[in-house]
Amino acid sequence: METFPHVRVEGGPRERGRQYGSQARARIETSIAAYREVFLHYAGWDWRRVTREALRYEGPIRAYEPAYLEEMRGMAEGAGIPYEDIVAINTRTEVMFAARARAASGSALPGECSAFAVLPEASTDGHTLVGQNWDWLLHC
């Protein structure tokens, strides 16, 4: 049975991104491959169009927190993949819905995530526990 990866990073945003990208390269590549198929199926878009649309979110991301873009640049460098692929994965929901993909495919998209939290008084070790998964796609 495969265990969940433990990725540890430190430093500034670009360095954290590089460390994450190098440690999670295979998972990042799996996500990109999967979302290529998702966008083609639900929106009829090839990956080049997806990444082009995703880059439109650089301005809003920069306005909110420029460090996020630096971290994404570092991830791309660490994983050895194009920066726009990292932006596309991180803005996938915004790109999908902004593009009115539901109308393009003629069907509604299911929900994506489930989350939980256990407060310290309810956990056996007195710690707060949180978790999240993606219910939508098996690869997630």
Side-chain angles (χ1 to χ4, degrees):
M1 171 184 253
E2 185 180 345
T3 62
F4 288 103
H6 292 257
V7 177
R8 297 187 190 283
V9 299
E10 61 184 0
R14 190 93 169 227
E15 183 55 30
R16 287 192 313 264
R18 281 189 195 110
Q19 292 170 31
Y20 182 85
S22 68
Q23 292 177 59
R25 179 181 182 155
R27 289 181 179 267
I28 294 168
E29 289 172 340
T30 297
S31 289
I32 292 166
Y35 279 103
R36 280 179 194 266
E37 293 178 23
V38 167
F39 273 95
L40 193 57
H41 176 77
Y42 286 107
W45 287 6
D46 65 14
W47 192 245
R48 185 173 171 191
R49 180 164 182 198
V50 172
T51 58
R52 197 171 53 244
E53 292 293 323
L55 289 175
R56 294 174 60 197
Y57 288 89
E58 281 183 308
I61 293 168
R62 185 177 298 106
Y64 182 76
E65 179 52 71
Y68 293 156
L69 294 175
E70 281 303 299
E71 198 164 67
M72 285 189 261
R73 287 186 194 288
M75 281 184 208
E77 292 166 1
I81 61 169
Y83 162 74
E84 58 269 19
D85 287 3
I86 296 294
V87 177
I89 291 300
N90 281 278
T91 61
R92 67 194 177 280
T93 301
E94 291 81 1
V95 171
M96 182 73 77
F97 287 102
R100 298 184 184 157
R102 288 183 292 173
S105 71
S107 63
L109 296 173
E112 289 191 31
C113 302
S114 294
F116 74 88
V118 177
L119 297 176
E121 58 271 14
S123 70
T124 58
D125 63 2
H127 289 96
T128 299
L129 307 172
V130 295
Q132 177 179 333
N133 72 331
W134 282 298
D135 300 330
W136 182 28
L137 304 169
L138 292 177
H139 77 274
C140 294

